[in-house]
Amino acid sequence: MTQMADEIRTLIADLYDDPEDFLRRPHLWFGGRSPNELMATEAGQFVLLKFLRGEDHIPPIERDGDFKPYTAANTDDLVDQAIARLEGQIEQIKSLKGAGPEIATVIGRAQEVFGERGLSWLIRPNQVLQATPLDLVTQGKTDRVLRLLVQIEHGIYA
């Protein structure tokens, strides 16, 4: 056995409770091949050594036993949820038509700061405000929203 093979076996023994099982079992890391197959060639040994030393690899995530592949049947619910959320947002935006001067000021500033995305910014939950900007405006807290827009405009918040 070569020095590299000895080092590989030592690393495997240090890292795995059942080194022989690790050597026999095919692994996703190695394209479904077993480490024993890789041990047969010098190139394969380099791959194993690099892997065992933790160089240039990210081990695959263990497969989740509860994982269900996405299909048309189980994504239809996700699509319906997205549509419902968007319809709710559309209704919120429609409610702005003919709004009073305070709301008009906020809409205008949001458009100045975000361009065409200004209206969508108003209806999204905002971490800094801990609410949607529109909710705060309808509660009479227009100053907080306008202050945040000024801060965003000047690069204080993103």
Side-chain angles (χ1 to χ4, degrees):
M1 203 179 319
T2 67
Q3 183 180 357
M4 189 169 15
D6 288 339
E7 184 178 351
I8 290 168
R9 289 195 178 277
T10 301
L11 285 168
I12 290 171
D14 289 344
L15 294 170
Y16 297 94
D17 293 334
D18 188 348
E20 290 306 314
D21 178 59
F22 175 79
L23 284 166
R24 279 190 312 270
R25 195 167 17 99
H27 295 275
L28 294 174
W29 296 289
F30 312 125
R33 295 178 296 167
S34 72
N36 271 337
E37 290 177 64
L38 294 174
M39 290 289 285
T41 66
E42 190 175 356
Q45 289 177 8
F46 277 115
V47 169
L48 272 171
L49 196 55
K50 206 171 184 183
F51 169 80
L52 293 167
R53 287 180 178 166
E55 301 170 7
D56 296 334
H57 85 283
I58 298 174
I61 298 170
E62 288 297 318
R63 197 171 137 181
D64 184 354
D66 296 330
F67 175 76
K68 293 176 181 71
Y70 291 107
T71 64
N74 62 13
T75 56
D76 284 349
D77 287 340
L78 296 173
V79 171
D80 288 341
Q81 290 172 12
I83 289 170
R85 187 179 69 250
L86 290 171
E87 286 173 342
Q89 291 175 338
I90 289 168
E91 289 305 313
Q92 285 182 306
I93 291 172
K94 282 181 179 177
S95 74
L96 298 175
K97 278 183 130 183
E102 284 188 339
I103 293 177
T105 301
V106 172
I107 292 170
R109 287 296 292 140
Q111 291 292 113
E112 288 173 11
V113 173
F114 293 107
E116 64 185 41
R117 294 188 175 144
L119 283 176
S120 62
W121 180 81
L122 287 172
I123 59 173
R124 286 196 186 127
N126 185 288
Q127 194 170 11
V128 173
L129 297 172
Q130 297 183 350
T132 69
L134 182 59
D135 287 341
L136 292 179
V137 170
T138 57
Q139 295 169 16
K141 299 176 182 176
T142 305
D143 290 344
R144 284 184 60 197
V145 176
L146 289 171
R147 192 172 327 123
L148 179 59
L149 283 166
V150 169
Q151 290 171 333
I152 291 169
E153 185 176 36
H154 293 284
I156 297 171
Y157 288 110

